[in-house]
């Protein structure tokens, strides 16, 4: 089995998912080559062949330019599998590459069982094994699903590629994340509000518990989108990645994007009325209770200690 | 201007799911159905663009069994002008390429300037349909849109990347945009608009007539993931629960020391 791994680079830096692509190739026993639009001064630690297109020449992500470059490599290497990270780069580019290759595309692969990719359904409540009926396939891998035991080492053998197409989409620059406010990455205790808090007035109760535990409060994406909590307190893929000693998730269902941001917490307490919520998967303690009753009661007891 | 918004009906994600008898999908009985959350943002953006343009026609499209018409009525009440229901009792079995192909055949001769859809569905979650639609019809496609603007024939959007970073991109019509949560604030349909929506065109036609591709994948089995590393589950009276949790926190973390 030959796999082409699509590494990622943005704004002068390699992105973290690249090691997971290598771990995946190793897990399925594939012979791999790698593709990157990036820079020679920042090459991935990869001992194999790397097709490199220059990031300065190609500009930042442009779908059709990157697609055409990948298709050149596909033509040459004839991989059975093209593998991306399931990221804003991967989920945008993978279907385009798959369509051109007339290959099946399987999104957000979390495992491979009996040579079949496994993907989540309904917010990870269910899973399904996918039977691909084409000779070639394109996968995107869920962040964190395939991780290497050790940091990879090695220097790639580089073959350069030149771009020969222009895209229909014009890139006009990046807007950095809002700075200032709260840096949750250094908090020792975080109490987070999820959609289950029900209404904006209940954020106060979550903040009060955080204060009683001498920590900070955070929130999951739906709560931030509803503007109950400001964005700089959002935990998850599109917010902050945290690693406190104690993480208390109040009414957080546990979407994969949220889990990705908090799974390095040392101890996780989840408070939820739904015993089957995916947050239970990462919780050390799951309290099955109505948080509107439980949280204020806990706050009072902690204060009285 | 002609605008198309493609929506999907999905179960409420808080539902108790069961696997169907063939072990290939979730059982569709006893579920509450609603509009895919990402698509609510797509509908809202489409309605806002129509309002900005004044002279615009907005079609909402949905593939699925007859029950999806209820969800389409919500989109009509939010401000879509007409509904195209592509009837398909087997739509849950269709892979993203089949869905994109059906939409593409519907849209091919209709000269839509802008197509909106959610960036993914809450149930299948592939995130492929919008991109594939763009590829099939050779339209530019921008995914994960978190800010949208249209001025003088030019589409200016922001894409949401990881870690709160956004990429500013522009493109021209015709284009497909896939909408991320938080793009706007989807409106609630008002009672007068719900009444008005009842009189709007909502035509059904068979999706099968538009399906021009073969499936490239199917679901071998669907199942509940094995619970791994589930910690202690505490249930009972609030007062006991708080005492128990405090005891655990004292033992297992340094937090209350």
């Amino acid at each position: 089995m030959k796999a082409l791994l699509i590494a990622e680079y943005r704004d002068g830096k390699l992105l973290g998912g690249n090691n997971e692509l290598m771990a995946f190739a190793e897990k399925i026993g594939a012979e791999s080559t790698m593709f990157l639009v990036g820079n020679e001064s920042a090459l991935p630690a990869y001992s194999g062949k790397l097709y490199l297109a220059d990031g300065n020449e190609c500009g930042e992500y442009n779908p059709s330019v990157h697609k055409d470059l990948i298709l050149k490599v596909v033509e040459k290497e004839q991989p059975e599998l093209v593998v991306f990270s399931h990221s804003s780069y991967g989920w945008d580019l993978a279907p385009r590459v798959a369509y051109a290759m007339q290959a099946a595309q399987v999104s957000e692969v979390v495992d491979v069982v009996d040579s079949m990719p496994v993907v989540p359904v309904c917010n990870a409540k269910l899973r399904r094994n996918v039977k691909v009926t084409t000779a070639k396939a394109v996968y995107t891998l869920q962040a964190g699903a395939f991780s290497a035991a050790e940091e990879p080492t090695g220097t790639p053998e580089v073959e350069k590629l030149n771009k020969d197409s222009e895209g229909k989409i014009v890139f006009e620059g990046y807007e950095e994340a809002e700075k200032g406010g709260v840096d949750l990455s250094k908090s020792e205790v975080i109490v987070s509000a999820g959609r289950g808090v029900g209404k904006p007035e209940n954020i106060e109760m979550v903040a009060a518990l955080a204060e009683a535990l001498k920590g900070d409060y955070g929130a999951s994406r739906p709560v931030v989108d509803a503007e109950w909590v400001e964005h700089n307190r959002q935990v998850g893929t599109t917010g902050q990645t945290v690693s406190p000693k104690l993480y208390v998730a109040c009414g957080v269902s546990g979407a994969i994007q949220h889990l990705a941001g908090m799974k390095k917490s040392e101890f996780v307490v989840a408070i939820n009325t739904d015993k089957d919520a995916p947050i239970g998967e990462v919780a050390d303690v799951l309290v099955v209770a109505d948080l509107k009753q439980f949280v204020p009661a806990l706050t009072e007891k902690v204060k009285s200690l | 201007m002609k605008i198309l918004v493609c929506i999907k009906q999905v179960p409420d994600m808080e539902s108790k799911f069961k696997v169907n008898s063939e072990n290939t999908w979730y059982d569709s009985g006893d579920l509450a159905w609603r509009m895919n959350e990402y698509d609510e943002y797509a509908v809202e953006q489409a309605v806002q663009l129509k309002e900005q343009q004044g002279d615009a026609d907005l079609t909402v499209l949905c593939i699925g069994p007859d029950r999806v018409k209820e969800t389409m009525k919500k989109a009509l009440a939010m401000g879509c002008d007409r509904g195209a229901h592509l009837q398909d009792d087997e739509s849950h079995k269709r892979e993203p390429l089949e869905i994109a192909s059906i939409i593409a055949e519907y849209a091919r001769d209709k000269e839509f300037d802008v197509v909106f859809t959610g960036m993914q569905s809450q149930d299948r979650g592939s995130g492929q349909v919008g991109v594939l639609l763009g590829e099939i019809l050779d339209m530019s496609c921008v995914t994960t849109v978190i800010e949208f603007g249209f001025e003088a024939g030019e589409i200016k959007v922001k894409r949401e990347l990881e870690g709160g970073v956004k990429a500013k991109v522009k493109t021209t019509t015709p284009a497909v945009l896939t909408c991320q949560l938080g793009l706007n604030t989807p409106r609630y349909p008002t009672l007068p608009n719900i009444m008005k929506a009842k009189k709007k065109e909502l035509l059904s036609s068979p999706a099968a007539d538009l399906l021009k591709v073969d499936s490239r994948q199917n679901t071998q089995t669907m199942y509940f993931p094995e619970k791994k590393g589930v910690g202690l589950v505490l249930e009972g009276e609030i007062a006991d629960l708080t005492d128990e949790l405090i005891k655990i926190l004292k033992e297992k973390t340094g937090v209350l020391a």
Side-chain angles (χ1 to χ4, degrees):
Chain A
M1 160 84 85
K2 275 177 92 172
L4 173 64
L5 313 177
I6 310 298
E8 280 183 56
Y9 174 92
R10 183 200 304 156
D11 209 9
K13 290 187 201 72
L14 280 173
L15 300 187
N18 302 337
N19 294 351
E20 296 178 13
L21 301 174
M22 294 179 228
F24 171 80
E26 195 175 314
K27 181 178 165 134
I28 64 163
E31 187 191 320
S32 71
T33 48
M34 191 176 263
F35 167 87
L36 175 71
V37 177
N39 194 297
E40 263 186 304
S41 64
L43 293 175
Y46 173 67
S47 37
K49 182 155 194 178
L50 174 73
Y51 288 89
L52 179 72
D54 185 58
N56 292 328
E57 189 207 348
C58 299
E60 293 296 313
Y61 177 48
N62 197 313
S64 58
V65 173
H66 286 217
K67 177 184 77 175
D68 291 345
L69 287 165
I70 290 170
L71 291 175
K72 274 207 253 183
V73 180
V74 166
E75 181 69 37
K76 200 164 165 195
E77 290 287 334
Q78 295 291 323
E80 283 101 350
L81 199 56
V82 181
V83 191
F84 294 79
S85 298
H86 193 68
S87 61
S88 60
Y89 182 76
W91 68 58
D92 192 281
L93 192 48
R96 303 177 200 258
V97 171
Y99 184 70
M101 288 174 67
Q102 302 194 325
Q105 199 230 303
V106 186
S107 303
E108 210 181 356
V109 174
V110 295
D111 200 357
V112 176
V113 173
D114 302 331
S115 308
M116 280 184 287
V118 180
V119 299
V121 185
C122 294
N123 205 4
K125 285 195 164 181
L126 289 155
R127 281 188 175 183
R128 59 191 188 98
N129 295 359
V130 179
K131 178 85 184 155
V132 170
T133 52
T134 45
K136 293 179 177 179
V138 175
Y139 293 176
T140 61
L141 308 182
Q142 187 182 82
F146 301 90
S147 37
E150 295 162 21
E151 281 286 304
T153 53
T155 311
E157 175 204 331
V158 175
E159 180 170 332
K160 290 191 181 169
L161 294 169
N162 292 314
K163 75 157 180 173
D164 46 19
S165 64
E166 297 294 331
K168 286 188 226 168
I169 290 169
V170 181
F171 172 79
E172 296 195 301
Y174 290 114
E175 185 177 291
E176 292 304 315
E178 295 162 45
K179 287 280 188 291
V182 201
D183 181 7
L184 295 176
S185 67
K186 295 186 176 66
S187 305
E188 297 211 327
V189 177
I190 296 171
V191 184
S192 255
R195 199 197 296 256
V197 299
K199 50 184 179 178
E201 297 82 71
N202 291 337
I203 298 299
E204 222 164 282
M205 159 182 105
V206 172
L209 177 59
E211 195 187 341
L213 290 165
K214 302 186 180 61
D216 296 300
Y217 71 96
S220 69
R221 174 161 199 146
V223 172
V224 172
D225 282 341
E227 295 179 357
W228 299 352
V229 171
E230 58 273 39
H231 179 264
N232 58 28
R233 288 183 184 271
Q234 184 179 319
V235 174
T237 321
T238 50
Q240 301 191 47
T241 302
V242 301
S243 50
K245 286 184 177 163
L246 173 64
Y247 190 89
V248 184
C250 304
V252 174
S253 68
I256 179 66
Q257 295 83 356
H258 187 78
L259 301 186
M262 52 65 73
K263 65 186 174 195
K264 287 186 184 141
S265 305
E266 281 178 37
F267 198 85
V268 178
V269 175
I271 303 158
N272 212 305
T273 45
D274 180 5
K275 246 196 219 182
D276 297 323
I279 189 78
E281 293 274 312
V282 298
D284 296 283
V285 178
L286 171 63
V287 180
V288 184
D290 178 354
L291 58 96
K292 290 184 280 302
Q293 293 173 23
F294 181 79
V295 171
L298 181 64
T299 306
E300 282 314 305
K301 282 214 176 124
V302 170
K303 278 193 193 163
S304 68
L305 287 177
Chain B
M1 173 178 265
K2 287 183 78 175
I3 311 166
L4 176 68
V5 59
C6 306
I7 65 169
K8 182 175 184 180
Q9 187 189 57
V10 297
D12 189 309
M13 288 299 130
E14 303 298 312
S15 305
K16 283 274 175 222
F17 288 99
K18 281 183 289 205
V19 175
N20 68 9
S21 55
E22 298 93 39
N23 291 324
T24 52
W25 203 246
Y26 53 79
D27 190 284
S28 62
D30 294 332
L31 292 173
W33 300 91
R34 48 165 294 171
M35 194 188 299
N36 178 41
E37 196 175 6
Y38 296 85
D39 300 342
E40 291 186 2
Y41 294 89
V43 171
E44 175 61 34
Q45 204 61 53
V47 174
Q48 285 187 17
L49 179 59
K50 174 188 148 71
E51 288 169 348
Q52 182 199 332
Q53 293 300 302
D55 182 25
D57 188 79
L58 169 55
T59 303
V60 55
L61 176 151
C62 188
I63 302 171
D66 289 335
R67 67 168 143 72
V68 307
K69 286 197 274 188
E70 282 311 307
T71 297
M72 296 183 76
K73 283 177 191 159
K74 180 177 178 185
L76 292 171
M78 285 172 76
C80 296
D81 296 309
R82 64 196 72 251
H85 169 223
L86 304 180
Q87 213 284 344
D88 189 355
D89 288 340
E90 303 288 294
S91 61
H92 61 284
K93 291 183 183 165
R94 306 248 183 256
E95 67 127 325
L97 179 67
E98 294 175 281
I99 298 292
S101 157
I102 291 169
I103 300 171
E105 289 311 315
Y106 171 83
R108 195 175 287 281
D109 303 323
K110 297 192 174 63
E111 295 181 335
F112 290 108
D113 299 287
V114 186
V115 180
F116 292 96
T117 189
M119 69 158 287
Q120 61 184 5
S121 60
Q122 289 173 284
D123 57 355
R124 196 180 265 265
S126 300
Q128 297 179 27
V129 171
V131 186
L132 290 171
L133 177 64
E135 293 296 298
I136 297 171
L137 294 179
D138 196 26
M139 294 163 83
S140 59
C141 172
V142 183
T143 63
T144 336
V145 172
I146 192 77
E147 247 181 83
F148 174 87
F150 182 81
E151 252 175 79
E154 199 168 64
I155 295 171
K156 282 192 169 197
V157 302
K158 289 182 187 162
R159 290 192 71 212
E160 185 179 67
L161 312 179
E162 289 70 24
V165 180
K166 294 168 188 166
K168 293 181 271 188
V169 300
K170 64 177 185 185
T171 190
T172 49
T173 58
V176 180
L177 288 318
T178 82
C179 303
Q180 170 63 302
L181 305 177
L183 167 63
N184 48 44
T185 308
R187 69 193 68 191
Y188 289 103
T190 59
L191 189 60
N193 286 341
I194 292 169
M195 299 313 288
K196 253 192 253 169
K198 289 184 198 292
K199 295 199 187 75
K200 289 182 180 173
E201 175 186 306
L202 206 183
L203 292 177
S204 294
S205 59
D209 294 353
L210 300 170
L211 182 61
K212 305 285 186 209
V213 296
D214 291 325
S215 141
R216 294 177 184 169
Q217 55 182 306
N218 54 60
T219 300
Q220 187 79 6
T221 48
M222 183 175 280
Y223 51 93
F224 288 93
E226 258 175 63
K227 298 260 176 192
K228 50 180 177 208
V230 173
L232 185 63
V233 178
L234 298 180
E235 289 178 272
E237 293 297 318
I238 296 291
D240 301 337
L241 288 175
T242 52
D243 287 341
E244 273 180 81
L245 183 60
I246 284 172
K247 188 161 164 266
I248 293 167
L249 292 182
K250 280 183 174 170
E251 284 169 9
K252 300 280 174 80
T253 76
V255 169
L256 293 174

